[in-house]
Amino acid sequence: MTTSTNRRPRTIYSNPSRAARPEPEASGRERFWWIFMRLSGLALVFLALGHMFIMHVLVVLTGDQIDFAFVQSRWGTPFWRIYDLLLLVLAFMHGVNGTRIVISDYVAHRTARSLIIGVLLFISAAWLILGIAIIALFDPSAS
Amino acid sequence: MERSHELINLFGYRVSWAQLAWFGHRASGLGVLLFLFLHIVETSTVLFGPEVYDFTQTFYANLPAKVGEVLLMAALVYHSLNGLRVIVMDFWPSTTIYYRPLTYGVIAATTIAMVPLGLIILTPYLPWG
């Protein structure tokens, strides 16, 4: 066996979980994101699947429909606003970090990699701010 | 070294279930993120009042969009279950020897869960629904 000089091994055989990255040995930023992906993933199992189930299964079964009035009734309560805000922020950070890791795996050129990830982070930050603004600015009493 | 019975033939490529699980995790994750970008733009129309938002929502009320909705849900269910498998194996490495039955389990559970969920979403939009 040859020892890999890659910072992030691409072969799944080197990873006991056989689906993702092995835990970074050095503590630091990469280890933080490794742990973040697992903790946020665990929270998102409930938040994202719950959201999908309510919006696309329960709404159908109860004969309701997603329209402005529906959003008014949901975002009229702090609970669902906080739920959606948490879902938005966690899903976004989880997804963008995952994309960063995928990009790092396929773009070997250092400058190109930094550039692509930089663009990704810039666009994502703008989008996330828009998302937070929607939840924060929506006025349930408007008609 | 992978043993031959772990490999399946996919369009002429010999790939293992582990590779498929890994690829599926990435593909589903990227797909869900792509929809999240679209979802934020589409939801932003709620700030422009009921007429604009209710009009935007009509884009989802057709069969192709509902098929997309089912695919999105399948991607999310698979990514969730497979992610749980990864978490279990990362924090309890001794479970790694069960990676194959667990991977089969994830694929089977996703497929089984999507049958009723898919029917609930699609039925009102099918010609006979």
Side-chain angles (χ1 to χ4, degrees):
Chain A
M1 290 294 279
T2 53
T3 47
S4 175
T5 50
N6 287 345
R7 202 157 51 89
R8 299 193 183 97
R10 276 177 69 174
T11 56
I12 49 171
Y13 308 111
S14 62
N15 176 15
S17 80
R18 300 194 189 214
R21 285 199 293 173
E23 184 178 0
E25 281 175 22
S27 62
R29 215 165 43 174
E30 284 309 312
R31 172 111 119 214
F32 166 81
W33 283 113
W34 188 89
I35 295 166
F36 172 82
M37 287 307 262
R38 276 135 192 90
L39 292 181
S40 61
L42 205 56
L44 283 166
V45 168
F46 299 100
L47 289 172
L49 286 184
H51 174 79
M52 278 297 266
F53 191 75
I54 294 165
M55 294 302 184
H56 302 282
V57 181
L58 284 187
V59 163
V60 178
L61 293 178
T62 56
D64 214 335
Q65 64 169 344
I66 298 172
D67 53 15
F68 191 81
F70 184 85
V71 180
Q72 272 182 318
S73 70
R74 270 175 67 88
W75 282 355
T77 62
F79 177 83
W80 289 114
R81 260 199 221 226
I82 293 165
Y83 182 104
D84 285 351
L85 186 68
L86 206 61
L87 173 61
L88 170 73
V89 174
L90 284 180
F92 224 84
M93 290 173 77
H94 187 98
V96 171
N97 188 52
T99 309
R100 179 182 69 87
I101 291 163
V102 173
I103 291 169
S104 309
D105 272 357
Y106 292 102
V107 185
H109 193 281
R110 201 177 261 269
T111 316
R113 188 169 65 202
S114 305
L115 205 68
I116 295 170
I117 290 173
V119 170
L120 170 77
L121 293 181
F122 181 79
I123 295 172
S124 304
W127 236 276
L128 183 58
I129 290 167
L130 171 66
I132 293 169
I134 297 164
I135 299 175
L137 294 177
F138 181 74
D139 180 8
S141 59
S143 55
Chain B
M1 198 58 77
E2 296 291 306
R3 292 188 300 276
S4 63
H5 66 265
E6 285 185 45
L7 300 172
I8 54 165
N9 193 310
L10 193 78
F11 308 118
Y13 291 95
R14 281 154 61 80
V15 294
S16 70
W17 283 103
Q19 283 171 304
L20 271 187
W22 174 85
F23 178 77
H25 200 72
R26 290 194 158 191
S28 58
L30 290 173
V32 170
L33 182 67
L34 200 65
F35 174 74
L36 182 54
F37 273 87
L38 175 73
H39 190 35
I40 290 172
V41 174
E42 160 250 301
T43 306
S44 72
T45 60
V46 82
L47 295 177
F48 300 102
E51 292 83 14
V52 185
Y53 184 73
D54 291 351
F55 175 70
T56 315
Q57 293 308 303
T58 61
F59 289 121
Y60 288 125
N62 55 73
L63 186 59
K66 291 290 155 183
V67 171
E69 198 175 301
V70 174
L71 286 175
L72 173 70
M73 192 175 273
L76 204 65
V77 170
Y78 174 76
H79 199 86
S80 299
L81 294 177
N82 197 56
L84 288 175
R85 182 181 69 83
V86 171
I87 290 170
V88 167
M89 290 186 174
D90 278 335
F91 291 106
W92 294 278
S94 63
T95 58
T96 305
I97 55 166
Y98 301 113
Y99 98 90
R100 211 180 317 149
L102 285 174
T103 305
Y104 289 144
V106 165
I107 295 167
T110 305
T111 311
I112 293 166
M114 284 320 293
V115 172
L117 294 174
L119 281 174
I120 290 169
I121 294 168
L122 288 178
T123 302
Y125 293 88
L126 292 172
W128 56 86

